[in-house]
Amino acid sequence: MMRVSLRRVRLPLVHQFRTSSHAKRFLEHILVTFEAADGTVGWGEIASPSGPFYSAETVDSCWAVSRDFLAPIAQRTRWEHPAELAAAMSKVRGNHFARSGFDVAAWSLFAARSGIPLSRALGGTRSRAEAGVSLGIESTIDELLAQVSARVAEGYRRIKLKIAPGWDVAPVREVRAAFPSVPVHVDANGAYDSSDMSAFFALDALGLLMIEQPFAPRDLLAHVALQKRISTPVCLDESVEEVADLATALTLGAGRILNIKVSRMGGLTPALRAHELARSAGVPVWCGGMHEFGIGRAANVALSSLPGFTLPSDVSGSDKYYARDVTTHPIVCTDGHVDVPSAPGLGWEPDLEFIESQTVDRLTVT
Ligand code: OSB
Ligand code: MG
């Protein structure tokens, strides 16, 4: 029996982030804690955006599903290994962001109790994760160039640019011209209509590392058609919610790279399965982010230490998004890398006092 708590925590962003679908200035994520009888606490983060624009989930839907279905399952399920809790939670369909917060809480509790770092519990082999950074849509190309310049100076190994119809070939061409040696990739978040692939033919000539999620999540056949016609690898994000989606995408040839997001897959347990499948198929992966606070970010760093994560992940330092993070020490990116912690558990200590000061709603199930 476990004491399960939820806290809805609000943090302001240091810089507005705009994607093809919307703009945001602050985030509300739900922190999940599992408190074992011996007092050990596991932490997870539900990093759902507030609105249903990336996936169908919202922070309110996550709160309701957590309160009514996931917290009761977590409270009553006895498990030795996190995969057993994941199996119990899998009767809840979809709702991957919500499930992910619970799965990560189980993994961090498991690692803490086992006295090993989360990365080792997952089978990680790297001592540091290569860090890339994701840049939103800006109002002008000059503002974008200033952002790229600052991030390159900070040492980030790869720049990802959000694109949308009307903000694609021109800004990307300018970035490539100003920073010819910096690896660049673009992410459309499914904003393009598959009947017009012309923007991607132009982008194909710019030497990009990859083109992420050009078309709608369920339209795998459009991704197949594009990948046949361009040499830049297509990378799937929103299209792969289930490990089975990955198997389908690989069979169809819908892309050559996979962005594994802990939240989108429903936690570290399914993320590990996706990593295994991609690895056996020879598909390189990297870890995507959802502007996580320090708890979710720590899980991303641990996952990025696995052997198949051969491309830079979206594991930027806390300071890229937050003036103050929810951990006592921020996550720091030095020389384009985030060190994978060697301390037991998550590796960063939640700052309870600060978390309490930012909490806008709470709930405990015992
Ligand atoms: O598609 O990768 C995405 C943020 C919100 C919604 C979708 C995406 C993103 C990011 C954030 O790119 C990257 C990060 O967390 O550093
Ligand atoms: Mg993406």
Side-chain angles (χ1 to χ4, degrees):
M1 298 301 258
M2 197 82 71
R3 185 183 162 94
V4 179
S5 299
L6 305 176
R7 287 183 182 85
R8 180 165 168 156
V9 176
R10 180 177 168 129
L11 290 187
L13 281 168
V14 292
H15 183 75
Q16 166 180 277
F17 195 91
R18 179 179 289 279
T19 67
S20 54
S21 62
H22 64 296
K24 48 196 179 186
R25 291 176 186 282
F26 70 87
L27 275 85
E28 283 185 7
H29 290 174
I30 299 167
L31 299 183
V32 180
T33 53
F34 289 177
E35 195 181 332
D38 67 1
T40 316
V41 181
W43 287 79
E45 175 176 335
I46 299 175
S48 174
S50 297
F53 308 116
Y54 170 80
S55 82
E57 291 176 88
T58 70
V59 64
D60 288 317
S61 77
C62 288
W63 186 265
V65 168
S66 298
R67 178 194 60 211
D68 298 341
F69 302 98
L70 299 173
I73 292 172
Q75 193 268 330
R76 66 169 184 255
T77 304
R78 291 185 177 278
W79 51 270
E80 293 294 325
H81 188 273
E84 294 157 31
L85 178 63
M89 289 195 299
S90 70
K91 27 179 198 218
V92 172
R93 294 229 197 261
N95 293 286
H96 286 191
F97 278 77
R99 274 158 57 182
S100 174
F102 285 75
D103 182 72
V104 172
W107 275 100
S108 81
L109 178 60
F110 173 75
R113 271 174 152 178
S114 312
I116 57 172
L118 177 58
S119 62
R120 197 185 316 155
L122 297 172
T125 51
R126 297 168 201 278
S127 59
R128 46 188 216 157
E130 208 180 354
V133 72
S134 171
L135 301 181
I137 293 169
E138 297 290 341
S139 346
T140 65
I141 292 180
D142 281 345
E143 282 170 71
L144 179 67
L145 290 170
Q147 281 289 324
V148 176
S149 171
R151 300 311 166 193
V152 169
E154 284 168 8
Y156 285 102
R157 296 297 164 113
R158 171 277 275 156
I159 301 288
K160 153 167 148 181
L161 304 173
K162 291 286 179 182
I163 57 166
W167 178 267
D168 45 37
V169 183
V172 176
R173 189 176 280 142
E174 298 251 3
V175 169
R176 293 297 284 148
F179 305 91
S181 63
V182 176
V184 171
H185 98 238
V186 295
D187 184 3
N189 289 107
Y192 287 79
D193 187 325
S194 62
S195 65
D196 179 9
M197 298 193 177
S198 55
F200 300 108
F201 301 144
L203 289 168
D204 193 31
L206 297 179
L208 301 174
L209 209 53
M210 68 190 92
I211 296 175
E212 184 178 343
Q213 199 67 45
F215 308 118
R218 298 276 73 77
D219 198 352
L220 285 171
L221 296 179
H223 293 86
V224 174
L226 179 64
Q227 186 66 93
K228 282 196 179 130
R229 297 183 65 183
I230 62 173
S231 54
T232 309
V234 169
C235 167
L236 297 177
D237 177 358
E238 286 92 326
S239 287
V240 177
E241 290 192 345
E242 306 277 347
V243 179
D245 295 333
L246 176 58
T248 308
L250 292 174
T251 303
L252 292 174
R256 299 195 187 128
I257 295 179
L258 176 66
N259 166 351
I260 298 187
K261 264 184 200 171
V262 178
S263 299
R264 186 197 73 226
M265 301 291 310
L268 287 163
T269 305
L272 288 179
R273 293 194 189 117
H275 165 261
E276 263 169 53
L277 180 56
R279 203 158 171 242
S280 62
V283 168
V285 305
W286 55 281
C287 177
M290 290 302 301
H291 301 155
E292 283 84 354
F293 301 170
I295 313 271
R297 196 166 290 272
N300 292 347
V301 171
L303 184 69
S304 302
S305 74
L306 271 84
F309 286 75
T310 53
L311 290 161
S313 289
D314 275 344
V315 287
S316 26
S318 302
D319 66 342
K320 202 248 158 184
Y321 295 116
Y322 307 106
R324 183 169 172 186
D325 206 339
V326 300
T327 46
T328 55
H329 298 278
I331 289 169
V332 180
C333 172
T334 318
D335 189 27
H337 293 83
V338 176
D339 286 335
V340 177
S342 49
L346 212 51
W348 280 272
E349 203 54 49
D351 183 342
L352 252 179
E353 208 175 302
F354 181 60
I355 290 170
E356 286 297 321
S357 74
Q358 304 301 116
T359 296
V360 295
D361 203 358
R362 70 181 71 244
L363 182 77
T364 298
V365 180
T366 46

